[in-house]
Amino acid sequence: MLSLKKDHYYGRDFWQEGRPKEKRIEYPINDRILKKSENLLNIRFPQSFIDLMKIQNGGGLNYPYFILPAEETESIPYEERVKLSYILPLHFENDDLSILSSDELLKEVDLPTGFIVLWTDFHYWVVLDYRKTKDNPSVMFIAEDFSALDSETKEWEYIKIADSFDEFLEKIFR
């Protein structure tokens, strides 16, 4: 079996530079916006997440792959529409997807509240799990179970990727 060398994230070049302009609202993050977002969501973002968002407010990733506990490689899927794997931005505009629209996104597919959505295509999700805490969330991968018998009701598989966002960063690679 061919084994590919994984280039793990090492604290630099998290965001993809020179990416094609996406049709989404972009503006830099500052402490005021972060505090307003945390108050609105009633949570505290992990400091490493804040540090990354201050560099770039969401967007394309240089390290979109991660390993699930069953040793399966998964990724924040490549989005054909924008030609990259990305994390949602943080903004207050109503006409664009944002981390702040997590509750509305979750409600659309009957997922429970308490998750902060980093990425979704509505079948697969990468989320911060705040269901039992207001800070230091775990990172979860939620996948639609396409083998469910009743196609009217979606079934979901919840898989913890990491106990914290810092641990998640240690697991991502390209």
Side-chain angles (χ1 to χ4, degrees):
M1 178 180 210
L2 180 64
S3 176
L4 300 175
K5 184 177 181 325
K6 296 177 184 91
D7 181 14
H8 283 270
Y9 174 67
Y10 55 94
R12 295 168 44 123
D13 303 323
F14 181 80
W15 300 108
Q16 196 176 81
E17 291 184 27
R19 66 193 192 285
K21 275 294 178 195
E22 303 154 41
K23 292 185 177 181
R24 65 177 179 84
I25 299 160
E26 291 185 15
Y27 55 77
I29 292 296
N30 58 39
D31 290 333
R32 183 184 61 77
I33 292 169
L34 284 162
K35 186 50 100 182
K36 182 178 176 182
S37 300
E38 288 178 331
N39 288 339
L40 181 69
L41 297 168
N42 195 28
I43 54 98
R44 290 194 54 195
F45 288 118
Q47 186 60 49
S48 52
F49 177 78
I50 290 171
D51 294 343
L52 289 171
M53 294 300 277
K54 283 184 173 181
I55 294 168
Q56 181 174 304
N57 185 7
L61 303 174
N62 277 324
Y63 300 88
Y65 298 98
F66 51 89
I67 303 289
L68 295 174
E71 299 296 320
E72 301 169 33
T73 298
E74 215 19 277
S75 73
I76 296 177
Y78 183 82
E79 181 77 28
E80 187 61 38
R81 178 182 58 84
V82 292
K83 308 279 189 232
L84 49 84
S85 297
Y86 66 94
I87 286 180
L88 291 173
L90 186 59
H91 64 72
F92 297 95
E93 302 295 330
N94 290 331
D95 60 346
D96 193 31
L97 287 182
S98 164
I99 288 171
L100 295 177
S101 47
S102 291
D103 280 348
E104 292 85 11
L105 296 172
L106 296 164
K107 195 178 293 182
E108 283 187 43
V109 295
D110 289 329
L111 281 169
T113 60
F115 295 121
I116 301 299
V117 179
L118 298 179
W119 179 90
T120 185
D121 67 356
F122 294 92
H123 300 287
Y124 301 97
W125 304 70
V126 176
V127 300
L128 299 174
D129 185 359
Y130 284 98
R131 292 176 298 170
K132 296 179 183 174
T133 185
K134 298 292 182 199
D135 58 5
N136 198 31
S138 59
V139 180
M140 301 280 294
F141 180 70
I142 303 171
E144 186 173 351
D145 181 358
F146 292 103
S147 67
L149 298 176
D150 181 4
S151 62
E152 294 297 313
T153 305
K154 289 186 180 182
E155 298 285 327
W156 299 99
E157 182 178 7
Y158 298 84
I159 304 166
K160 185 189 295 185
I161 302 169
D163 287 327
S164 68
F165 190 75
D166 288 339
E167 185 181 311
F168 173 67
L169 292 177
E170 293 172 3
K171 294 183 174 193
I172 59 175
F173 62 94
R174 60 179 166 192

